[in-house]
Amino acid sequence: MVLNNFYSMSLYFDGLDLFSEKMQAKILFDYSGSFSDERLDARCKFIAEKMLNRRSSVIHQFCKGNKETTAARRFFNNQNISLSNQINGLTKRMSSLKVQKVLLIEDGSELNYTSKQGRIQTGSLGPITSKWCTGFFVHPCLVVDAIKNIPLGFSAVEMWKRDESCGNKKERAYDKLPIEKKESWKWIECIQKSKEVLPYPVHKIVVADREADIYKVYTLLKDETTDLLIRARADRKIRGNETVSSFLKQQPVNKIVSMLVKTDKKDGRSKHKAMLEIKYGQIEIKKPKTASNRGEQNYFSLYVVEIKEKKNTIKKGESPVHWIILTTLEVTSNKKAESVLKYYAKRWLIEELFAILKTRGLNLENSQLTKGEALMKLAVVAMDVGLKILQLTKGREDEESKAEVIFTKEEIGLITLLVPEYEGNTEKQKNPYRNNSLAWAAWLVGRLGGWMGYKTESPPGNKTMAIGLERFFTMFIVYKL
């Protein structure tokens, strides 16, 4: 077939089922042994592939016809499929990990189904942050290669709903509860489960935002293969009747570095290049006098790193970058302090994952399933699909990883044929990456998604990559015929 005809032919075949057994187009979704029946393993794989191809987790959008829609609904409503087994099937892939160092980036998010309340079974969901809204919470631990910065998978996922009669913190006497009875226990539980899943020799660096700045997180989780790197939530007391802030005021600025800051609506900050001052030192934080910390040691040794934006790069009317990081990693040089900054900056990956799951990607909150547990099961599959999109987006410049991380050999064959068709006549318009690398394949997917291919242009984002994948697999159908 003439390559120039691929695009026009792909439009003709756009309505075809890309992942039918006849076409056998495959993405590396592996659910072998996840369920009690091989047919359920195959059905889950089929759903994930369809979801990726259609860039939607809404069943009537990613399924073709009533037969597929009914089969998908039955899968998620199947009482023989437990949520815990489904999560285990997702996380067990990390047990054979062969890397030296990983970042365990954990965070929580809520999925809001308030607009679907009329159709969702009463009591199957619960109140979320706003007591007038209903949904459930998800708290994943994303495993990222600390050297290549590529997301690898999930080592743990927690999902739960609050009881409908759940009062506010004051009504529940929340401060007096042991931490094991609080939702904040998820920060500890997620890493404990990750330790059980990941191979022992792997160096694990837990990266988390302010909600994880809990005294017991440090005392319970630190061990010879696990370190913590957490943004400070409060101005803690330290040994010597000082606080973290008073200690930092006495420290010199050790280094000034530049960093591209991404848009962060939550912190009121737009994308810009920031000049950052770095300070660091060793401290011993004091045990807070709360019920959760009874029996804990009085002091815990940490290093503190302050990253503060210089006044001349703060954009008018916006909040400056100001991070105070507490870590069990040894920070005794400028190089090690910069590593802390780079590791913490990778926390943004989990925010991107949540965006992919919601309005900027799979529209998980628009699902029409009617039971809370079914919605949770759908969310587990959506997380796996979101991971694939994130992997490809972050692999844009990864020449060390092979394209086989994402694509089959047949699909790589098509990429080889398509790359010259999407290259321009000048060197600037050529695919600059090594053949068969993940970056080489990602370059093509970005071009298919509408990216112009110039290095001077902003790199393709998750949405562009998702569109590119959809078009690629439509072309793959033509290639297979």
Side-chain angles (χ1 to χ4, degrees):
M1 178 176 290
V2 179
L3 276 173
N4 288 337
N5 290 332
F6 266 140
Y7 185 70
S8 58
M9 288 292 287
S10 72
L11 294 178
Y12 174 77
F13 285 98
D14 189 49
L16 288 180
D17 179 5
L18 273 65
F19 291 108
S20 67
E21 292 180 10
K22 182 179 179 182
M23 293 303 181
Q24 294 181 344
K26 296 179 181 178
I27 273 283
L28 300 181
F29 289 106
D30 183 13
Y31 294 97
S32 302
S34 297
F35 307 100
S36 57
D37 190 323
E38 289 183 359
R39 291 171 297 179
L40 294 177
D41 296 345
R43 174 58 59 185
C44 191
K45 176 180 171 63
F46 179 83
I47 288 171
E49 290 168 342
K50 294 280 286 186
M51 199 182 289
L52 175 63
N53 175 246
R54 299 301 180 195
R55 290 182 290 119
S56 175
S57 62
V58 181
I59 289 177
H60 73 266
Q61 291 178 0
F62 70 73
C63 285
K64 179 186 177 184
N66 186 61
K67 184 178 178 181
E68 281 187 11
T69 300
T70 301
R73 289 183 183 278
R74 284 177 178 170
F75 176 85
F76 291 114
N77 286 302
N78 190 333
Q79 295 299 309
N80 293 321
I81 297 174
S82 74
L83 179 64
S84 60
N85 284 347
Q86 192 184 3
I87 291 173
N88 289 341
L90 182 68
T91 60
K92 71 177 182 179
R93 302 172 197 168
M94 295 294 97
S95 62
S96 57
L97 209 59
K98 294 180 180 179
V99 295
Q100 294 181 337
K101 185 189 299 183
V102 295
L103 306 180
L104 300 184
I105 305 175
E106 62 169 331
D107 202 357
S109 185
E110 61 184 29
L111 290 165
N112 189 333
Y113 293 95
T114 306
S115 64
K116 311 293 181 185
Q117 255 179 318
R119 70 173 67 200
I120 294 176
Q121 186 180 77
T122 303
S124 64
L125 293 177
I128 46 179
T129 302
S130 171
K131 64 180 181 179
W132 307 114
C133 295
T134 188
F136 64 89
F137 296 89
V138 57
H139 187 114
C141 187
L142 180 66
V143 183
V144 177
D145 187 320
I147 308 301
K148 298 180 181 178
N149 299 319
I150 298 295
L152 302 172
F154 300 97
S155 56
V157 178
E158 295 292 324
M159 288 186 181
W160 72 97
K161 75 174 187 71
R162 288 175 179 164
D163 191 273
E164 287 185 328
S165 60
C166 177
N168 59 38
K169 287 187 175 182
K170 185 177 180 180
E171 293 168 338
R172 289 180 283 159
Y174 192 78
D175 290 341
K176 295 181 180 180
L177 291 174
I179 192 169
E180 293 82 0
K181 300 291 184 181
K182 297 179 179 180
E183 286 183 357
S184 51
W185 178 249
K186 303 298 180 187
W187 295 97
I188 295 171
E189 190 175 27
C190 234
I191 301 305
Q192 288 178 334
K193 289 183 177 180
S194 296
K195 289 182 179 184
E196 294 173 3
V197 169
L198 292 164
Y200 175 75
V202 175
H203 182 195
K204 299 168 283 292
I205 303 173
V206 179
V207 180
D209 210 7
R210 287 170 285 199
E211 290 86 351
D213 182 18
I214 302 165
Y215 195 74
K216 271 197 172 181
V217 167
Y218 303 108
T219 60
L220 291 181
L221 297 180
K222 167 61 180 168
D223 61 35
E224 59 184 359
T225 64
T226 308
D227 280 295
L228 295 306
L229 195 154
I230 298 170
R231 185 177 175 186
R233 175 173 53 178
D235 190 14
R236 287 183 175 274
K237 292 181 180 180
I238 63 175
R239 190 185 287 276
N241 294 320
E242 282 192 279
T243 63
V244 172
S245 63
S246 65
F247 171 81
L248 287 169
K249 285 178 182 178
Q250 300 170 45
Q251 307 309 308
V253 174
N254 298 96
K255 187 79 182 284
I256 297 175
V257 298
S258 65
M259 187 181 78
L260 183 63
V261 177
K262 295 185 178 181
T263 300
D264 189 337
K265 293 181 180 179
K266 185 168 65 175
D267 284 346
R269 195 178 299 125
S270 61
K271 183 178 178 180
H272 68 285
K273 187 176 181 180
M275 299 303 294
L276 306 174
E277 297 176 336
I278 299 179
K279 296 180 177 182
Y280 54 87
Q282 189 173 16
I283 58 174
E284 288 182 278
I285 59 172
K286 187 177 181 180
K287 178 183 73 174
K289 293 179 180 180
T290 61
S292 296
N293 294 314
R294 287 174 187 159
E296 289 293 328
Q297 61 198 72
N298 290 328
Y299 292 92
F300 192 84
S301 181
L302 293 168
Y303 285 85
V304 59
V305 180
E306 182 181 40
I307 297 121
K308 189 174 183 180
E309 186 172 1
K310 288 176 67 68
K311 290 182 179 180
N312 61 332
T313 63
I314 300 171
K315 299 195 77 172
K316 187 177 180 180
E318 295 187 0
S319 302
V321 174
H322 189 197
W323 301 330
I324 296 175
I325 312 296
L326 300 175
T327 181
T328 58
L329 291 169
E330 184 183 78
V331 185
T332 53
S333 67
N334 291 347
K335 185 177 180 180
K336 290 180 178 180
E338 285 185 71
S339 292
V340 168
L341 169 59
K342 289 175 183 177
Y343 291 154
Y344 181 74
K346 295 303 172 188
R347 200 199 68 80
W348 191 255
L349 287 171
I350 204 162
E351 298 289 355
E352 290 190 53
L353 174 69
F354 292 146
I356 291 170
L357 294 179
K358 297 180 183 181
T359 54
R360 280 172 47 196
L362 299 173
N363 289 311
L364 194 52
E365 292 172 320
N366 282 335
S367 174
Q368 295 182 320
L369 290 170
T370 59
K371 295 180 181 179
E373 187 177 7
L375 289 166
M376 290 183 183
K377 292 175 186 176
L378 177 68
V380 175
V381 180
M383 285 174 61
D384 202 8
V385 174
L387 173 69
K388 295 299 179 189
I389 296 172
L390 196 59
Q391 282 176 327
L392 195 56
T393 304
K394 299 308 165 188
R396 290 172 306 209
E397 297 184 0
D398 184 4
E399 291 192 83
E400 292 185 31
S401 297
K402 295 182 179 179
E404 291 174 4
V405 171
I406 302 290
F407 300 98
T408 64
K409 289 183 179 179
E410 282 187 293
E411 291 159 0
I412 291 170
L414 175 58
I415 293 171
T416 303
L417 293 174
L418 286 175
V419 163
E421 295 294 310
Y422 282 83
E423 290 181 320
N425 296 322
T426 67
E427 283 301 312
K428 289 183 179 180
Q429 295 172 307
K430 303 288 185 185
N431 188 330
Y433 303 108
R434 180 171 53 83
N435 282 5
N436 295 315
S437 67
L438 184 56
W440 167 81
W443 182 92
L444 174 70
V445 174
R447 291 284 288 117
L448 291 173
W451 178 56
M452 295 302 293
Y454 292 103
K455 275 202 167 185
T456 52
E457 185 185 5
S458 296
N462 295 317
K463 188 173 182 179
T464 300
M465 286 301 202
I467 293 170
L469 277 175
E470 181 181 13
R471 290 181 178 170
F472 172 77
F473 286 117
T474 304
M475 292 181 176
F476 187 74
I477 295 300
V478 184
Y479 179 68
K480 288 279 288 182
L481 292 178

